[in-house]
Amino acid sequence: MAGSHTYASDVAFTPTVKAIQARKGSRQAYARSEERGWNQDITPDLAAFIAAQTSVFFATANGEGQPYIQHRGGPAGFLHVLDHRTIGFADFSGNRQFISQGNLADNGKAFLFLIDYMMRQRIKIWGEARVIENDPELLTRLMPPDYKARPEQAILFTVSTWDANCPQHIPQRFDAADVAAILGERDKRIAVLEAEIARLRAGTPG
């Protein structure tokens, strides 16, 4: 188990959290879940979920505990599973505030939140992250092919544990590109049917 934690889930279920769960009646259910154990390794199913994502929320906190959440996006596959405990991605050049990098310099603990609105799935991943500068070989490995962005540096995230949430309250949304593809196929089918109708009306043999 990571650190001095009895359970992997202790990274989230601190003594204070457990006391609140006990007071509000959910401790027994969560005690059973922590005894079953949260995953600490990246399973094949999780790896496939990560590979399909085009968006991730990356949370860090500074030395004083002030949290910060940064969105990172790219084409499917921009998040790379490098081994059973490591996720890597190219950190593209943006507004150059470097808040996440500064936070990680003071506090390596980090968190990834992934959500698939179409499938109404969300994954929470606890761990530690570090920024890798001046490693062109790693950046080449992490950079999505033909993607129009400039990589600033690389970020490697070491997984401590992860958990999946139920779909409750997740609005179902669809990616614009997926919707456009479906509508394009529909329009092609409509055009074929309209041509067939016109042929039948004209009495033209098929």
Side-chain angles (χ1 to χ4, degrees):
M1 299 295 177
S4 60
H5 295 161
T6 301
Y7 299 107
S9 55
D10 285 351
V11 69
F13 298 158
T14 64
T16 302
V17 170
K18 291 180 182 182
I20 294 172
Q21 290 173 348
R23 178 166 59 84
K24 296 198 172 188
S26 62
R27 175 89 284 266
Q28 187 174 2
Y30 283 115
R32 289 195 296 268
S33 76
E34 66 189 7
E35 287 174 1
R36 289 193 300 268
W38 282 10
N39 283 295
Q40 294 180 279
D41 290 341
I42 300 171
T43 63
D45 285 345
L46 177 59
F49 184 86
I50 290 170
Q53 300 313 299
T54 58
S55 178
V56 64
F57 294 96
F58 178 46
T60 58
N62 64 23
E64 297 179 356
Q66 175 63 49
Y68 177 70
I69 296 177
Q70 182 178 53
H71 174 263
R72 279 289 177 255
F78 87 100
L79 293 172
H80 296 256
V81 174
L82 301 178
D83 59 43
H84 70 289
R85 296 293 288 273
T86 309
I87 300 168
F89 58 94
D91 192 21
F92 306 135
S93 180
N95 58 22
R96 301 179 65 80
Q97 291 182 334
F98 303 116
I99 297 174
S100 294
Q101 183 170 358
N103 287 354
L104 291 173
D106 293 333
N107 178 0
K109 295 185 184 301
F111 182 85
L112 295 178
F113 184 83
L114 299 96
I115 186 164
D116 185 325
Y117 287 101
M118 184 176 71
M119 302 302 296
R120 300 179 68 231
Q121 292 180 307
R122 53 188 165 186
I123 300 290
K124 303 178 296 186
I125 308 177
W126 287 263
E128 297 191 1
R130 63 189 189 277
V131 176
I132 307 296
E133 298 181 285
N134 304 315
D135 190 334
E137 183 177 346
L138 178 61
L139 271 183
T140 298
R141 181 181 179 188
L142 297 179
M143 190 64 191
D146 303 319
Y147 189 56
K148 304 302 181 185
R150 186 175 70 84
E152 181 90 38
Q153 53 210 3
I155 293 179
L156 297 183
F157 184 98
T158 303
V159 176
S160 297
T161 189
W162 63 273
D163 187 35
N165 279 103
C166 71
Q168 189 177 20
H169 307 306
I170 301 177
Q172 190 170 45
R173 298 173 180 169
F174 298 89
D175 187 81
D178 293 335
V179 173
I182 292 169
L183 292 178
E185 290 300 317
R186 180 207 61 181
D187 291 344
K188 289 178 184 177
R189 180 60 178 161
I190 288 173
V192 170
L193 292 173
E194 287 178 339
E196 180 66 11
I197 291 169
R199 183 189 64 79
L200 292 172
R201 284 176 175 172
T204 305

